[in-house]
């Protein structure tokens, strides 16, 4: 997959025709290409967009991309942001342009999307045992010498299944042993002795190549700074022990991969990875945080490490879901025309932020979202809350991953409402 092919695929996104498939877009834009509609630089509020419509802030997106690029550089980390957050190849490309080593993904379909749009380095944060997917990846590796692919292994059985599916492949698949975050945590090998057994199983194949260790500190039970740091030190110690045992020798490696990092504890990852001792090969210290790209107004606003290290900067929530008041049945209650089909609600309900009326925007004082139906949000309005049928209500959202996946084409809007691009997602 050449860079040119990826660039051409991204360009083809702009040739897609706008029609009924895409929520919130102006009805009179039907038949235009995405590029033609973007060139019109329509205003989100006055040029025909229909509610509900999800918008991504151009300025805040750019700020977040730059901030994490600076953070990774300052802490000498390579960065493979988790692409399952957005599943948007245009954003993958912008992340690469802002210094990302590659893109992290979770399942084979996501890898296929990334490859279709020219991503040359992929870290799959999962053990992969599906034979059809493994054969496809082996084909990608065989036909593209510049493609770098790394995935988890967390069991001897998994290694055996991978080896069986990959038999006869020309180029081995690079794997990292996943260390579990603790008893009762999610995936991963529970003990160091079991990690060694998995590594031995890898060494016994001709189809897999051990290149490092990895895990996800976000699953540490009862996570706090002390417990997360302790687990990260275990991960580093595992890499050191593997290296001393010669497990990375003789495989033609240029580097040893040590990877961790969700969106809640990347400061701890930076702290501990800075202390990785010198090994027999250079170490690729790979951070995988993904939610930063849009950030949010709820869950990640509360847990972002930048709250603990404010001197490093601050992410900005880039999503806003614009809805319209369609019913005001009593002074205490109102309804807007967006619900579970439009807004993330798995971590928190949306947050009422601003009201727009006659081109004027003001704070949504005294307005609270109390529940969601499929296509309505239930609002509680305090005495004196100024809200009328027809008003636009801007909602903040919690959890970027389940915001992106409800919208196939998302307007990228500047602060004054000018829409400068459209972000295509693939879920």
């Amino acid at each position: 997959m050449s860079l040119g092919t990826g660039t051409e695929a991204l360009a083809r996104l702009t040739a897609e025709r706008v029609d009924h498939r895409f929520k919130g877009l102006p009805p009179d834009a039907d038949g235009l290409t995405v590029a033609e509609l973007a060139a019109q630089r329509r205003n989100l509020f006055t040029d025909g967009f229909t509610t509900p419509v999800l918008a991504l802030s151009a300025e805040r997106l750019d700020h977040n991309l730059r901030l994490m690029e600076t953070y990774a550089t300052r802490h000498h980390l390579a960065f493979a942001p988790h692409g399952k957050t957005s599943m948007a190849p245009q954003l993958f490309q912008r992340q690469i342009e802002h210094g990302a080593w590659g893109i992290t993904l979770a399942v084979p379909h996501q890898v296929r999307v990334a490859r279709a749009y020219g991503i040359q380095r992929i870290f799959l944060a999962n053990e992969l045992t599906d034979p059809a997917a493994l054969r496809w990846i082996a084909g990608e590796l065989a036909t593209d010498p510049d493609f770098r692919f790394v995935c988890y292994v967390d069991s001897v059985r998994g290694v055996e299944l991978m080896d069986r599916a990959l038999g006869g492949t020309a180029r081995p698949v690079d794997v990292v042993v996943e260390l579990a975050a603790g008893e009762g945590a999610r995936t991963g090998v529970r003990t160091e002795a079991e990690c060694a057994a998995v590594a031995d199983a890898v060494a016994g194949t001709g189809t897999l190549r051990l290149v490092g260790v990895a895990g996800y500190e976000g699953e540490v039970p009862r996570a706090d700074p002390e417990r997360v740091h302790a687990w990260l030190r275990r991960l580093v110690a595992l890499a050191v022990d593997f290296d001393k045992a010669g497990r990375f020798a003789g495989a033609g490696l240029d580097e040893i991969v040590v990877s961790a990092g969700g969106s809640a504890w990347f400061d701890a990852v930076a702290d501990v990875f800075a202390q990785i001792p010198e090994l027999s090969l250079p170490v690729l210290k790979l951070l995988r945080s993904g939610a930063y790209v849009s950030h949010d107004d709820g869950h990640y606003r509360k847990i972002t490490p930048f709250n603990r290290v404010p001197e490093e900067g601050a992410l900005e929530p880039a999503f806003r879901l614009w809805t319209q008041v369609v019913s005001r049945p009593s002074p205490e209650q109102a309804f807007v025309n967006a619900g579970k089909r439009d807004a993330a609600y798995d971590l928190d309900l949306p947050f009422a932020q601003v009201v727009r009326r006659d081109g004027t925007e003001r704070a949504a004082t005294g307005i609270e979202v109390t529940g969601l139906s499929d296509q309505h949000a239930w609002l509680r309005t305090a005495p004196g809350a100024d809200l009328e049928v027809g008003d636009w209500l801007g909602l903040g959202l919690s959890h970027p991953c389940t915001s992106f996946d409800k919208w196939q084409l998302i307007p990228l809007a500047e602060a004054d409402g000018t829409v400068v691009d459209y972000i295509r997602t693939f879920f």
Side-chain angles (χ1 to χ4, degrees), residues 256-329:
I256 296 167
V257 178
V258 182
S259 179
S263 296
W265 295 102
F266 54 73
D267 58 331
V269 175
D271 289 345
V272 175
F273 280 15
Q275 301 164 26
I276 294 177
E278 185 173 343
L279 301 182
S280 62
L281 292 167
V283 177
L284 181 72
K285 304 173 183 180
L286 194 61
L287 182 69
R288 306 192 309 270
S289 312
Y292 81 98
V293 69
S294 67
H295 198 45
D296 74 5
D297 282 294
H299 181 71
Y300 286 102
R301 181 194 281 271
K302 290 180 283 191
I303 70 169
T304 176
F306 287 115
N307 292 337
R308 294 186 290 270
V309 287
E311 66 278 6
E312 298 261 23
L315 293 168
E316 296 178 354
F319 270 139
R320 181 165 284 169
L321 177 62
W322 287 101
T323 67
Q324 199 163 17
V325 180
V326 293
S327 182
R328 188 79 159 98

Side-chain angles (χ1 to χ4, degrees), residues 181-196:
E183 284 300 322
R186 201 164 64 187
T187 55
V189 186
R190 284 342 195 214
T191 69
E192 280 74 1
E194 290 172 298
C195 285

Side-chain angles (χ1 to χ4, degrees), residues 383-405:
D386 183 11
L387 191 66
E388 297 179 354
V389 169
D391 289 347
W392 281 42
L393 180 67
L395 301 177
L397 302 173
S398 184
H399 201 184
C401 302
T402 45
S403 298
F404 275 104
D405 71 5

Side-chain angles (χ1 to χ4, degrees), residues 144-276:
D144 185 354
D146 295 325
F147 178 36
R148 178 84 191 274
F149 177 83
V150 181
C151 76
Y152 283 176
V153 287
D154 87 338
S155 64
V156 171
R157 168 69 171 166
V159 170
E160 292 170 349
L161 291 172
M162 294 178 77
D163 184 45
R164 186 183 309 165
L166 293 167
T169 58
R171 186 177 163 195
V173 171
D174 287 348
V175 297
V176 289
V177 173
E178 182 195 5
L179 176 66
E183 284 300 322
R186 201 164 64 187
T187 55
V189 186
R190 284 342 195 214
T191 69
E192 280 74 1
E194 290 172 298
C195 285
V198 173
D200 287 341
V202 171
T205 75
T207 59
L208 305 176
R209 182 174 72 159
L210 183 67
V211 299
V213 300
Y216 175 46
E217 75 292 337
E219 283 290 315
V220 169
R222 303 181 307 283
D224 61 23
E226 183 178 351
R227 289 187 178 94
V228 170
H229 278 78
W231 179 82
L232 286 163
R233 287 192 290 270
R234 275 187 67 197
L235 182 68
V236 169
L238 181 65
V240 172
D241 289 347
F242 275 12
D243 192 43
K244 286 180 179 177
R247 295 188 184 280
F248 303 123
L253 300 185
D254 298 320
E255 60 192 4
I256 296 167
V257 178
V258 182
S259 179
S263 296
W265 295 102
F266 54 73
D267 58 331
V269 175
D271 289 345
V272 175
F273 280 15
Q275 301 164 26
I276 294 177

Side-chain angles (χ1 to χ4, degrees), residues 346-362:
D346 54 322
L347 294 178
D348 300 286
L349 289 172
F351 308 90
Q353 294 182 321
V354 295
V355 177
R356 285 187 65 91
R357 182 188 301 159
D358 300 327
T360 300
E361 194 170 297
R362 55 182 167 77

